[in-house]
Amino acid sequence: METLTPPPNLFERLNQWIQESIMIKLISIGFLILILLIPSSWIQSLIEERQQRSDEVMREVTDKWSGSQTLTGPVLVIPYIKQEIIDRGKDGTEIREHIEKAFFLPENLSIDGDVKPDTRHRGIFEVVVYESGLQINSEFQQPDFKALSIPEELVQWKDAYMIFGITDLRGISDNPTFLVGGKPYNTEPSNSLAINSRNYENETVVAYANNETNTTNSSKGIMTKLNWENKDSFKKDVSIKLNLKGSKRLDFVPAGKTTSVKIASTWSNPSFDGEFLPDTSKISDAGFEASWKVLHYNRPFSQQWKGNEQTLTGSEFGVKLLLPVDQYQKSMRTSKYAALIILLTFVSLFLVEITQKIRIHPFQYILIGTALIIYYSLLLSFSEHLGYNVSYIISSAATVILIGLYSTTFLRTRKLSLLFSILLVIFYTFIFVIILQQDYSLLLGSIGLFLIVGMVMYFSRKIHWYKETETSKLN
């Protein structure tokens, strides 16, 4: 007697539908992609943490060497007596006197310098420092006190001095040579020099901008007392020879009515920064040369002033010494494409499932996605030692080989595994080209994604998405 197989119950039919439903498979894949985005965000946090550690090491080195330098001046400072008449009514009038200062900038300022860079290491991190030799020549005009409404008889010529602003005084490696009218003068730090026994208010009002900390109203620099007897003692030519250490960048304030700066260095990765680009520049593997010419029309302060009427900020320019490779920035940009790589990989596997009638378990999707996430950790760790480009190749090759070998366990033929591995190579090559071609990254990315969507359309053209539904209706 023939035994009849009972029809499947509702639970078995539901279970079979869940296992074979394309829609359920798509929902599962989408859910897995969302889950894998969580460790992807952790990778980005790790990159930011390593970047912060690199910045901390950079600050530690520059604190012991010298920070970024901004040079201002020289500035001629001449005190004068300011009289204030106070009406006391029936008691008459009272004249009060106190000391104010008048400030004068040079007519012509010329700076010629040579920057010798050096790369210091702290563990696996690198910091760019430099030593520079600077020759500063300037020429002043006879101060015009009438234009500032200052009576000549109230000018204190014997208390005149000059100041040259330097952001970080720790960078002075040798005693500066300060010549006024061809005569050498002794210099002292401006923030520790007492002019005389009088009570000077607002000891120094010249401001110097520090691009790293955005500091203003700083009085750091070198100062020399001129000891002029009267206006006939005035000397117009000022020459300063300065050996200065610094890190990362060197900036200048266009203090002259005409300011000319010429800088040369053996560093081959400069970034010309600030308010003015060089008039001429030459960059090669042997180094760079750059020159600027800035007129007083181009800056936001005048040639002479008194009291606290202005500060010398808002027009700094100079050069920044860049490290050849910023692995953290490139690693961060690469990690932002993690969702795209996971999506493309899972879509490829899904199409293989549908077209080749192969069942791939969700756990196998999870393992492949995990390998795709760990890839970014490999990239970051290798890039800190080997550089970004080499690390990208090593990490990509390791990930493709690992996933390719694993795919042989669930794909039917080695041909399919090889094809899947080639697709991964194409995906990683596509991302690498986008990262390197920053100016064309949007164009290349858009074209690449368009072609990928076209390929997905082509390979999925013969899939009958509603085949199961139509079959069930016929039955």
Side-chain angles (χ1 to χ4, degrees), residues 436-457:
L436 292 186
Q437 301 295 327
Q438 296 187 30
D439 295 336
Y440 300 97
S441 59
L442 179 59
L443 176 62
L444 294 175
S446 301
I447 295 175
L449 290 176
F450 182 81
L451 294 176
I452 289 172
V453 171
M455 291 175 62
V456 172
M457 290 179 177

Side-chain angles (χ1 to χ4, degrees), residues 90-133:
K90 294 181 180 180
D91 296 332
T93 60
E94 178 184 354
I95 299 178
R96 289 185 177 180
E97 294 183 347
H98 62 274
I99 297 295
E100 290 282 355
K101 297 176 184 177
F103 298 84
F104 304 90
L105 298 180
E107 285 292 301
N108 297 301
L109 174 62
S110 174
I111 302 176
D112 195 350
D114 178 57
V115 178
K116 299 177 181 178
D118 189 16
T119 303
R120 297 297 175 95
H121 294 81
R122 176 68 65 87
I124 63 174
F125 302 104
E126 294 182 341
V127 182
V128 181
V129 298
Y130 63 82
E131 295 185 48
S132 61

